[in-house]
Short mmCIF file of all heavy atoms in Angstrom, two decimals:
data_model
loop_
_atom_site.label_atom_id
_atom_site.label_comp_id
_atom_site.label_asym_id
_atom_site.label_seq_id
_atom_site.Cartn_x
_atom_site.Cartn_y
_atom_site.Cartn_z
N MET A 680 44.95 -0.81 116.58
CA MET A 680 44.85 0.30 115.55
C MET A 680 45.48 1.54 116.25
O MET A 680 45.31 1.74 117.51
CB MET A 680 43.39 0.45 115.21
CG MET A 680 42.90 -0.31 114.14
SD MET A 680 41.37 0.55 113.48
CE MET A 680 40.24 -0.77 113.70
N ASP A 681 46.03 2.36 115.44
CA ASP A 681 46.56 3.64 116.01
C ASP A 681 45.40 4.69 115.91
O ASP A 681 44.44 4.47 115.36
CB ASP A 681 47.78 4.03 115.17
CG ASP A 681 47.64 4.24 113.69
OD1 ASP A 681 46.42 4.71 113.41
OD2 ASP A 681 48.46 4.11 112.87
N THR A 682 45.82 5.83 116.63
CA THR A 682 44.70 6.88 116.69
C THR A 682 44.23 7.41 115.38
O THR A 682 43.03 7.65 115.17
CB THR A 682 45.24 8.00 117.46
OG1 THR A 682 45.70 7.41 118.80
CG2 THR A 682 44.13 9.01 117.76
N GLY A 683 45.24 7.63 114.38
CA GLY A 683 44.84 8.03 113.02
C GLY A 683 44.00 7.09 112.34
O GLY A 683 42.90 7.52 111.70
N LEU A 684 44.12 5.84 112.35
CA LEU A 684 43.32 4.78 111.82
C LEU A 684 41.92 4.81 112.42
O LEU A 684 40.93 4.62 111.72
CB LEU A 684 44.09 3.48 111.84
CG LEU A 684 43.28 2.28 110.98
CD1 LEU A 684 43.19 2.71 109.61
CD2 LEU A 684 44.23 1.08 111.13
N GLU A 685 41.99 4.85 113.73
CA GLU A 685 40.70 4.88 114.40
C GLU A 685 39.78 6.05 114.14
O GLU A 685 38.66 5.83 113.84
CB GLU A 685 40.94 4.93 115.99
CG GLU A 685 41.47 3.51 116.46
CD GLU A 685 41.67 3.63 118.03
OE1 GLU A 685 41.11 4.44 118.71
OE2 GLU A 685 42.52 2.65 118.50
N ALA A 686 40.48 7.28 113.98
CA ALA A 686 39.61 8.47 113.49
C ALA A 686 39.19 8.21 112.11
O ALA A 686 38.07 8.60 111.78
CB ALA A 686 40.55 9.74 113.58
N LEU A 687 40.08 7.69 111.18
CA LEU A 687 39.59 7.51 109.84
C LEU A 687 38.41 6.49 109.81
O LEU A 687 37.45 6.68 109.08
CB LEU A 687 40.73 6.88 108.94
CG LEU A 687 40.43 6.53 107.60
CD1 LEU A 687 40.04 7.67 106.80
CD2 LEU A 687 41.58 5.73 106.87
N ALA A 688 38.53 5.37 110.54
CA ALA A 688 37.44 4.34 110.66
C ALA A 688 36.12 4.93 111.03
O ALA A 688 35.06 4.65 110.55
CB ALA A 688 37.92 3.18 111.39
N THR A 689 36.29 5.73 112.19
CA THR A 689 35.02 6.46 112.74
C THR A 689 34.45 7.31 111.71
O THR A 689 33.23 7.35 111.51
CB THR A 689 35.48 7.16 114.03
OG1 THR A 689 35.98 6.34 114.95
CG2 THR A 689 34.30 7.89 114.59
N ALA A 690 35.20 8.15 111.12
CA ALA A 690 34.71 9.19 110.20
C ALA A 690 34.06 8.33 108.95
O ALA A 690 33.01 8.69 108.44
CB ALA A 690 35.79 9.94 109.50
N LEU A 691 34.70 7.32 108.57
CA LEU A 691 34.22 6.52 107.36
C LEU A 691 32.93 5.81 107.63
O LEU A 691 32.03 5.85 107.02
CB LEU A 691 35.35 5.41 107.01
CG LEU A 691 34.93 4.39 105.87
CD1 LEU A 691 34.73 5.24 104.62
CD2 LEU A 691 35.94 3.32 105.81
N TYR A 692 32.78 5.31 109.02
CA TYR A 692 31.64 4.62 109.37
C TYR A 692 30.38 5.57 109.36
O TYR A 692 29.38 5.42 108.97
CB TYR A 692 31.76 4.03 110.82
CG TYR A 692 30.38 3.60 111.34
CD1 TYR A 692 29.89 2.41 111.03
CD2 TYR A 692 29.78 4.39 112.31
CE1 TYR A 692 28.62 1.95 111.35
CE2 TYR A 692 28.56 4.00 112.80
CZ TYR A 692 28.00 2.80 112.35
OH TYR A 692 26.74 2.47 112.84
N VAL A 693 30.67 6.86 109.88
CA VAL A 693 29.63 7.86 110.04
C VAL A 693 29.17 8.24 108.66
O VAL A 693 28.01 8.25 108.40
CB VAL A 693 30.21 9.11 110.87
CG1 VAL A 693 29.15 10.27 110.70
CG2 VAL A 693 30.30 8.72 112.23
N THR A 694 30.17 8.41 107.75
CA THR A 694 29.78 8.80 106.27
C THR A 694 28.95 7.67 105.66
O THR A 694 27.86 7.93 105.10
CB THR A 694 31.11 9.06 105.55
OG1 THR A 694 31.76 10.12 106.22
CG2 THR A 694 30.72 9.40 104.05
N VAL A 695 29.38 6.37 105.79
CA VAL A 695 28.80 5.32 105.20
C VAL A 695 27.37 5.15 105.81
O VAL A 695 26.42 4.91 105.01
CB VAL A 695 29.58 4.04 105.29
CG1 VAL A 695 28.80 2.78 104.93
CG2 VAL A 695 30.80 4.03 104.45
N ASP A 696 27.34 5.23 107.09
CA ASP A 696 25.92 5.01 107.76
C ASP A 696 24.98 6.18 107.24
O ASP A 696 23.78 5.82 106.90
CB ASP A 696 26.22 5.15 109.17
CG ASP A 696 24.85 4.72 110.04
OD1 ASP A 696 24.42 3.44 109.70
OD2 ASP A 696 24.59 5.41 110.86
N ASP A 697 25.40 7.43 107.13
CA ASP A 697 24.56 8.48 106.68
C ASP A 697 24.22 8.19 105.27
O ASP A 697 23.06 8.43 104.94
CB ASP A 697 25.19 9.77 106.76
CG ASP A 697 25.46 10.33 108.22
OD1 ASP A 697 24.71 9.69 109.08
OD2 ASP A 697 26.17 11.17 108.50
N LEU A 698 25.17 7.73 104.29
CA LEU A 698 24.81 7.42 102.96
C LEU A 698 23.73 6.36 102.87
O LEU A 698 22.89 6.43 102.01
CB LEU A 698 26.02 7.30 102.14
CG LEU A 698 26.92 8.41 101.79
CD1 LEU A 698 28.24 7.91 101.33
CD2 LEU A 698 26.25 9.29 100.82
N LEU A 699 23.90 5.36 103.61
CA LEU A 699 22.91 4.26 103.58
C LEU A 699 21.47 4.65 104.04
O LEU A 699 20.61 4.16 103.58
CB LEU A 699 23.53 3.06 104.30
CG LEU A 699 24.72 2.37 103.83
CD1 LEU A 699 25.21 1.21 104.62
CD2 LEU A 699 24.41 1.74 102.43
N LYS A 700 21.54 5.51 105.04
CA LYS A 700 20.22 6.04 105.44
C LYS A 700 19.62 6.95 104.54
O LYS A 700 18.35 6.88 104.48
CB LYS A 700 20.46 6.72 106.78
CG LYS A 700 20.68 5.96 108.00
CD LYS A 700 20.91 6.71 109.25
CE LYS A 700 21.15 5.77 110.39
NZ LYS A 700 21.60 6.57 111.63
N ASP A 701 20.37 7.65 103.64
CA ASP A 701 19.88 8.56 102.68
C ASP A 701 19.46 7.85 101.43
O ASP A 701 18.66 8.27 100.65
CB ASP A 701 20.92 9.64 102.30
CG ASP A 701 21.22 10.70 103.39
OD1 ASP A 701 20.24 10.71 104.30
OD2 ASP A 701 22.14 11.30 103.30
N HIS A 702 20.13 6.70 101.22
CA HIS A 702 19.68 5.97 100.06
C HIS A 702 19.51 4.40 100.40
O HIS A 702 20.25 3.44 100.03
CB HIS A 702 20.98 5.93 99.09
CG HIS A 702 21.30 7.29 98.60
ND1 HIS A 702 20.59 8.06 97.64
CD2 HIS A 702 22.23 8.12 99.02
CE1 HIS A 702 21.06 9.19 97.49
NE2 HIS A 702 22.07 9.39 98.29
N PRO A 703 18.35 4.16 100.97
CA PRO A 703 17.96 2.82 101.47
C PRO A 703 17.80 1.75 100.20
O PRO A 703 17.98 0.60 100.39
CB PRO A 703 16.75 2.89 102.30
CG PRO A 703 16.23 4.15 101.82
CD PRO A 703 17.29 5.12 101.51
N GLU A 704 17.63 2.38 99.19
CA GLU A 704 17.40 1.46 97.83
C GLU A 704 18.60 0.76 97.47
O GLU A 704 18.56 -0.33 96.79
CB GLU A 704 16.83 2.28 96.80
CG GLU A 704 17.81 3.19 96.16
CD GLU A 704 18.13 4.58 96.78
OE1 GLU A 704 17.39 4.86 97.86
OE2 GLU A 704 18.83 5.39 96.38
N VAL A 705 19.78 1.11 97.98
CA VAL A 705 21.10 0.37 97.61
C VAL A 705 21.33 -0.79 98.58
O VAL A 705 22.16 -1.62 98.28
CB VAL A 705 22.23 1.30 97.63
CG1 VAL A 705 22.17 2.47 96.60
CG2 VAL A 705 22.63 1.88 98.92
N LEU A 706 20.51 -0.90 99.59
CA LEU A 706 20.64 -2.03 100.53
C LEU A 706 20.00 -3.28 100.02
O LEU A 706 19.01 -3.26 99.35
CB LEU A 706 20.11 -1.69 101.93
CG LEU A 706 20.68 -0.51 102.58
CD1 LEU A 706 19.84 -0.28 103.86
CD2 LEU A 706 22.10 -1.06 103.11
N PRO A 707 20.67 -4.40 100.19
CA PRO A 707 20.04 -5.66 99.78
C PRO A 707 18.73 -5.93 100.60
O PRO A 707 18.64 -5.45 101.84
CB PRO A 707 20.98 -6.78 100.13
CG PRO A 707 21.91 -6.19 101.23
CD PRO A 707 21.86 -4.68 101.01
N PRO A 708 17.74 -6.66 100.00
CA PRO A 708 16.51 -6.87 100.74
C PRO A 708 16.78 -7.75 101.86
O PRO A 708 17.57 -8.70 101.72
CB PRO A 708 15.58 -7.51 99.71
CG PRO A 708 16.54 -8.00 98.59
CD PRO A 708 17.80 -7.20 98.68
N ARG A 709 16.10 -7.57 102.97
CA ARG A 709 16.29 -8.37 104.22
C ARG A 709 14.95 -9.06 104.49
O ARG A 709 13.87 -8.53 104.47
CB ARG A 709 16.57 -7.51 105.46
CG ARG A 709 17.92 -6.77 105.28
CD ARG A 709 19.04 -7.59 105.54
NE ARG A 709 20.31 -6.84 105.60
CZ ARG A 709 21.30 -6.92 104.84
NH1 ARG A 709 21.26 -8.00 104.11
NH2 ARG A 709 22.32 -6.18 104.89
N PRO A 710 15.00 -10.43 104.82
CA PRO A 710 13.75 -11.14 105.05
C PRO A 710 13.18 -10.57 106.35
O PRO A 710 13.91 -10.14 107.23
CB PRO A 710 14.13 -12.53 105.25
CG PRO A 710 15.67 -12.51 105.48
CD PRO A 710 16.15 -11.11 104.85
N ARG A 711 11.90 -10.51 106.49
CA ARG A 711 11.28 -10.07 107.76
C ARG A 711 11.26 -11.09 108.96
O ARG A 711 11.21 -10.64 110.05
CB ARG A 711 9.84 -9.69 107.49
CG ARG A 711 9.64 -8.60 106.53
CD ARG A 711 8.16 -8.21 106.38
NE ARG A 711 7.97 -7.15 105.31
CZ ARG A 711 7.89 -5.95 105.57
NH1 ARG A 711 8.09 -5.47 106.73
NH2 ARG A 711 7.76 -5.05 104.65
N ILE A 712 11.45 -12.39 108.47
CA ILE A 712 11.59 -13.41 109.59
C ILE A 712 13.03 -13.97 109.47
O ILE A 712 13.69 -13.87 108.45
CB ILE A 712 10.54 -14.48 109.51
CG1 ILE A 712 10.60 -15.11 108.15
CG2 ILE A 712 9.18 -13.88 109.71
CD1 ILE A 712 9.71 -16.31 108.01
N GLY A 713 13.46 -14.63 110.58
CA GLY A 713 14.63 -15.34 110.46
C GLY A 713 15.66 -14.77 111.50
O GLY A 713 15.39 -13.95 112.37
N ILE A 714 17.01 -15.03 111.21
CA ILE A 714 18.01 -14.49 112.09
C ILE A 714 18.16 -13.07 111.85
O ILE A 714 18.42 -12.63 110.58
CB ILE A 714 19.29 -15.39 111.99
CG1 ILE A 714 19.01 -16.76 112.22
CG2 ILE A 714 20.34 -14.70 112.78
CD1 ILE A 714 20.16 -17.73 111.89
N THR A 715 18.21 -12.12 112.80
CA THR A 715 18.45 -10.83 112.74
C THR A 715 20.06 -10.61 112.71
O THR A 715 20.75 -11.15 113.47
CB THR A 715 17.85 -9.87 113.70
OG1 THR A 715 18.25 -10.36 114.95
CG2 THR A 715 16.32 -10.11 113.68
N SER A 716 20.46 -9.64 111.89
CA SER A 716 21.93 -9.44 111.80
C SER A 716 22.32 -8.68 113.04
O SER A 716 21.63 -7.80 113.68
CB SER A 716 22.22 -8.59 110.62
OG SER A 716 21.61 -7.41 110.55
N VAL A 717 23.59 -8.91 113.55
CA VAL A 717 24.16 -8.20 114.65
C VAL A 717 24.97 -7.10 114.29
O VAL A 717 25.18 -6.07 114.92
CB VAL A 717 24.96 -9.25 115.49
CG1 VAL A 717 25.64 -8.46 116.66
CG2 VAL A 717 24.06 -10.41 116.02
N THR A 718 25.61 -7.24 113.00
CA THR A 718 26.44 -6.17 112.40
C THR A 718 25.77 -5.48 111.31
O THR A 718 25.24 -6.15 110.55
CB THR A 718 27.74 -7.00 111.84
OG1 THR A 718 28.28 -7.76 112.80
CG2 THR A 718 28.75 -5.97 111.47
N SER A 719 25.84 -4.25 111.45
CA SER A 719 25.12 -3.37 110.43
C SER A 719 25.97 -3.45 109.06
O SER A 719 27.13 -3.63 109.02
CB SER A 719 25.05 -1.86 110.84
OG SER A 719 26.24 -1.37 110.82
N ASP A 720 25.23 -3.07 108.07
CA ASP A 720 25.84 -2.93 106.77
C ASP A 720 27.04 -1.92 106.72
O ASP A 720 28.05 -2.05 106.17
CB ASP A 720 24.76 -2.56 105.62
CG ASP A 720 23.79 -3.61 105.38
OD1 ASP A 720 24.13 -4.78 105.50
OD2 ASP A 720 22.57 -3.38 105.28
N ALA A 721 26.76 -0.70 107.38
CA ALA A 721 27.79 0.21 107.55
C ALA A 721 29.01 -0.25 108.21
O ALA A 721 30.19 0.08 107.78
CB ALA A 721 27.24 1.46 108.31
N GLU A 722 28.92 -1.11 109.25
CA GLU A 722 30.06 -1.66 109.96
C GLU A 722 30.80 -2.61 108.97
O GLU A 722 32.03 -2.59 109.03
CB GLU A 722 29.54 -2.36 111.18
CG GLU A 722 29.09 -1.51 112.31
CD GLU A 722 28.58 -2.22 113.36
OE1 GLU A 722 27.76 -3.29 113.15
OE2 GLU A 722 28.51 -1.64 114.48
N ILE A 723 30.12 -3.37 108.22
CA ILE A 723 30.77 -4.33 107.36
C ILE A 723 31.51 -3.61 106.26
O ILE A 723 32.68 -3.91 105.87
CB ILE A 723 29.76 -5.39 106.74
CG1 ILE A 723 29.12 -6.18 107.88
CG2 ILE A 723 30.36 -6.10 105.63
CD1 ILE A 723 27.97 -7.04 107.51
N ILE A 724 30.87 -2.56 105.63
CA ILE A 724 31.56 -1.83 104.60
C ILE A 724 32.74 -1.07 105.19
O ILE A 724 33.79 -1.10 104.66
CB ILE A 724 30.59 -0.85 104.08
CG1 ILE A 724 29.46 -1.54 103.21
CG2 ILE A 724 31.30 0.21 103.15
CD1 ILE A 724 28.26 -0.60 102.73
N THR A 725 32.62 -0.57 106.34
CA THR A 725 33.89 0.18 106.97
C THR A 725 35.04 -0.89 107.28
O THR A 725 36.01 -0.50 107.11
CB THR A 725 33.36 0.81 108.36
OG1 THR A 725 32.32 1.76 108.18
CG2 THR A 725 34.57 1.50 109.01
N LEU A 726 34.78 -1.89 107.78
CA LEU A 726 35.76 -2.98 107.90
C LEU A 726 36.44 -3.39 106.70
O LEU A 726 37.62 -3.60 106.61
CB LEU A 726 35.13 -4.24 108.76
CG LEU A 726 34.91 -4.01 110.20
CD1 LEU A 726 34.20 -5.29 110.82
CD2 LEU A 726 36.28 -3.74 111.00
N ALA A 727 35.64 -3.57 105.59
CA ALA A 727 36.15 -3.92 104.32
C ALA A 727 37.09 -2.91 103.79
O ALA A 727 38.15 -3.19 103.30
CB ALA A 727 35.03 -4.33 103.38
N VAL A 728 36.65 -1.66 103.91
CA VAL A 728 37.45 -0.45 103.32
C VAL A 728 38.79 -0.38 104.23
O VAL A 728 39.87 -0.22 103.58
CB VAL A 728 36.63 0.83 103.36
CG1 VAL A 728 37.51 1.97 102.94
CG2 VAL A 728 35.54 0.67 102.37
N VAL A 729 38.67 -0.35 105.57
CA VAL A 729 39.94 -0.42 106.35
C VAL A 729 40.85 -1.59 106.09
O VAL A 729 42.07 -1.41 105.91
CB VAL A 729 39.56 -0.27 107.83
CG1 VAL A 729 40.78 -0.45 108.70
CG2 VAL A 729 38.83 0.89 108.15
N GLN A 730 40.30 -2.63 105.86
CA GLN A 730 41.18 -3.90 105.45
C GLN A 730 41.81 -3.56 104.15
O GLN A 730 42.98 -3.88 104.05
CB GLN A 730 40.27 -5.15 105.40
CG GLN A 730 40.95 -6.34 104.81
CD GLN A 730 40.14 -7.52 104.66
OE1 GLN A 730 38.92 -7.50 105.04
NE2 GLN A 730 40.54 -8.46 103.99
N ALA A 731 41.13 -3.06 103.13
CA ALA A 731 41.75 -2.87 101.94
C ALA A 731 42.81 -1.61 101.99
O ALA A 731 43.88 -1.69 101.37
CB ALA A 731 40.68 -2.48 100.77
N LEU A 732 42.52 -0.67 102.72
CA LEU A 732 43.47 0.50 102.96
C LEU A 732 44.79 -0.06 103.68
O LEU A 732 45.79 0.60 103.45
CB LEU A 732 42.93 1.55 103.76
CG LEU A 732 41.78 2.31 103.08
CD1 LEU A 732 41.15 3.38 104.06
CD2 LEU A 732 42.35 3.12 101.87
N GLN A 733 44.64 -1.10 104.49
CA GLN A 733 45.85 -1.61 105.20
C GLN A 733 46.58 -2.60 104.39
O GLN A 733 47.65 -2.99 104.70
CB GLN A 733 45.34 -2.33 106.43
CG GLN A 733 44.88 -1.43 107.58
CD GLN A 733 45.98 -0.60 108.15
OE1 GLN A 733 46.95 -1.24 108.68
NE2 GLN A 733 45.87 0.72 108.12
N GLY A 734 46.02 -2.81 103.18
CA GLY A 734 46.76 -3.79 102.24
C GLY A 734 46.51 -5.22 102.42
O GLY A 734 47.29 -6.12 101.87
N TYR A 735 45.58 -5.59 103.24
CA TYR A 735 45.27 -6.97 103.46
C TYR A 735 44.31 -7.54 102.50
O TYR A 735 43.17 -7.16 102.34
CB TYR A 735 44.64 -7.21 104.89
CG TYR A 735 45.75 -7.01 106.01
CD1 TYR A 735 45.84 -5.68 106.56
CD2 TYR A 735 46.52 -8.09 106.43
CE1 TYR A 735 46.74 -5.54 107.63
CE2 TYR A 735 47.45 -7.83 107.37
CZ TYR A 735 47.61 -6.64 107.99
OH TYR A 735 48.63 -6.43 108.99
N THR A 736 44.71 -8.54 101.77
CA THR A 736 43.80 -9.21 100.77
C THR A 736 43.44 -10.51 101.24
O THR A 736 42.75 -11.26 100.54
CB THR A 736 44.58 -9.30 99.37
OG1 THR A 736 45.81 -10.01 99.54
CG2 THR A 736 44.95 -7.93 98.81
N ASN A 737 43.93 -10.97 102.31
CA ASN A 737 43.60 -12.30 102.84
C ASN A 737 42.88 -12.06 104.22
O ASN A 737 43.27 -11.49 105.06
CB ASN A 737 44.82 -13.02 103.10
CG ASN A 737 44.69 -14.38 103.65
OD1 ASN A 737 44.04 -14.71 104.65
ND2 ASN A 737 45.36 -15.34 102.91
N GLU A 738 41.60 -12.68 104.26
CA GLU A 738 40.81 -12.57 105.52
C GLU A 738 41.54 -13.15 106.73
O GLU A 738 41.42 -12.47 107.82
CB GLU A 738 39.41 -13.26 105.23
CG GLU A 738 38.62 -12.58 104.22
CD GLU A 738 37.95 -11.30 104.60
OE1 GLU A 738 37.66 -11.09 105.80
OE2 GLU A 738 37.87 -10.29 103.83
N THR A 739 42.19 -14.23 106.52
CA THR A 739 42.75 -14.84 107.74
C THR A 739 43.91 -13.83 108.33
O THR A 739 43.97 -13.79 109.50
CB THR A 739 43.40 -16.12 107.32
OG1 THR A 739 42.35 -17.05 106.73
CG2 THR A 739 43.96 -16.83 108.58
N ARG A 740 44.65 -13.38 107.45
CA ARG A 740 45.70 -12.43 107.97
C ARG A 740 45.15 -11.17 108.55
O ARG A 740 45.61 -10.67 109.57
CB ARG A 740 46.68 -12.00 106.77
CG ARG A 740 47.56 -13.17 106.41
CD ARG A 740 48.46 -12.64 105.23
NE ARG A 740 49.09 -13.81 104.69
CZ ARG A 740 50.21 -14.44 105.04
NH1 ARG A 740 50.86 -13.97 106.16
NH2 ARG A 740 50.78 -15.42 104.39
N TRP A 741 44.12 -10.64 108.13
CA TRP A 741 43.47 -9.40 108.56
C TRP A 741 42.91 -9.77 110.07
O TRP A 741 43.11 -9.08 110.93
CB TRP A 741 42.32 -9.02 107.69
CG TRP A 741 41.39 -7.96 108.17
CD1 TRP A 741 40.10 -8.10 108.52
CD2 TRP A 741 41.81 -6.57 108.49
NE1 TRP A 741 39.59 -6.91 108.94
CE2 TRP A 741 40.60 -5.91 109.00
CE3 TRP A 741 42.95 -5.90 108.45
CZ2 TRP A 741 40.64 -4.65 109.46
CZ3 TRP A 741 43.01 -4.49 108.88
CH2 TRP A 741 41.84 -3.92 109.28
N ILE A 742 42.23 -10.90 110.16
CA ILE A 742 41.70 -11.25 111.50
C ILE A 742 42.83 -11.53 112.48
O ILE A 742 42.68 -11.16 113.54
CB ILE A 742 40.74 -12.51 111.32
CG1 ILE A 742 39.55 -12.14 110.52
CG2 ILE A 742 40.35 -13.04 112.69
CD1 ILE A 742 38.63 -13.27 110.16
N GLN A 743 43.99 -12.11 112.05
CA GLN A 743 45.03 -12.26 112.90
C GLN A 743 45.70 -10.99 113.39
O GLN A 743 46.01 -10.68 114.45
CB GLN A 743 46.20 -13.14 112.25
CG GLN A 743 45.92 -14.59 112.01
CD GLN A 743 46.84 -15.23 111.10
OE1 GLN A 743 47.71 -14.59 110.53
NE2 GLN A 743 46.86 -16.50 111.10
N ARG A 744 45.67 -9.97 112.34
CA ARG A 744 46.09 -8.65 112.78
C ARG A 744 45.24 -8.01 113.86
O ARG A 744 45.68 -7.36 114.62
CB ARG A 744 46.09 -7.74 111.51
CG ARG A 744 46.22 -6.24 111.75
CD ARG A 744 47.51 -5.82 112.06
NE ARG A 744 47.54 -4.38 112.63
CZ ARG A 744 47.47 -3.27 111.97
NH1 ARG A 744 47.27 -3.35 110.54
NH2 ARG A 744 47.49 -2.10 112.52
N LEU A 745 43.80 -8.19 113.72
CA LEU A 745 42.96 -7.56 114.64
C LEU A 745 43.07 -8.17 116.03
O LEU A 745 43.03 -7.56 117.07
CB LEU A 745 41.60 -7.77 114.15
CG LEU A 745 41.20 -6.99 112.84
CD1 LEU A 745 39.72 -7.44 112.36
CD2 LEU A 745 41.34 -5.51 113.12
N HIS A 746 43.47 -9.51 116.09
CA HIS A 746 43.53 -10.16 117.27
C HIS A 746 44.95 -9.83 118.02
O HIS A 746 45.00 -9.95 119.24
CB HIS A 746 43.50 -11.73 117.16
CG HIS A 746 42.17 -12.17 116.98
ND1 HIS A 746 41.20 -12.06 117.90
CD2 HIS A 746 41.63 -12.91 115.95
CE1 HIS A 746 40.05 -12.61 117.49
NE2 HIS A 746 40.21 -13.16 116.31
N THR A 747 46.00 -9.31 117.22
CA THR A 747 47.19 -9.01 117.75
C THR A 747 47.42 -7.64 118.25
O THR A 747 48.23 -7.22 118.94
CB THR A 747 48.47 -9.36 116.86
OG1 THR A 747 48.23 -8.70 115.63
CG2 THR A 747 48.44 -10.88 116.67
N ASP A 748 46.48 -6.72 117.71
CA ASP A 748 46.56 -5.34 118.12
C ASP A 748 46.17 -5.17 119.65
O ASP A 748 45.20 -5.72 119.99
CB ASP A 748 45.65 -4.51 117.23
CG ASP A 748 46.26 -3.97 115.97
OD1 ASP A 748 47.64 -4.17 115.83
OD2 ASP A 748 45.64 -3.36 115.21
N PRO A 749 46.97 -4.31 120.32
CA PRO A 749 46.60 -4.15 121.72
C PRO A 749 45.36 -3.36 121.80
O PRO A 749 44.85 -2.54 121.13
CB PRO A 749 47.72 -3.24 122.35
CG PRO A 749 48.48 -2.83 121.19
CD PRO A 749 48.12 -3.67 119.99
#
């Protein structure tokens, strides 16, 4: 990722994280037992938005892009 995209992703993550903290009612219910998630909802939303902004509609191509970036 280039610096501008990294800055955008960081700003987007902070904004989404703050919004989700302010409005917990929009989050899906999580079971109290079972496997705990490693990735937060804000991280998943941020990745999805950055993927869309980059024009990737295919998950495989997006993941390949992530693996090839230095």
Side-chain angles (χ1 to χ4, degrees):
M680 273 199 240
D681 61 32
T682 307
L684 186 57
E685 288 179 20
L687 174 66
T689 302
L691 179 62
Y692 170 78
V693 171
T694 302
V695 169
D696 192 50
D697 289 344
L698 285 170
L699 290 176
K700 286 178 184 173
D701 291 343
H702 302 282
E704 69 277 0
V705 299
L706 293 172
R709 302 280 188 235
R711 294 186 188 263
I712 59 170
I714 299 173
T715 58
S716 61
V717 178
T718 308
S719 72
D720 292 320
E722 290 169 328
I723 292 171
I724 292 169
T725 301
L726 285 173
V728 171
V729 170
Q730 175 184 346
L732 289 173
Q733 291 287 299
Y735 288 93
T736 57
N737 183 307
E738 292 290 324
T739 304
R740 291 185 193 269
W741 171 244
I742 292 171
Q743 287 172 349
R744 161 80 194 284
L745 294 177
H746 284 296
T747 59
D748 271 353

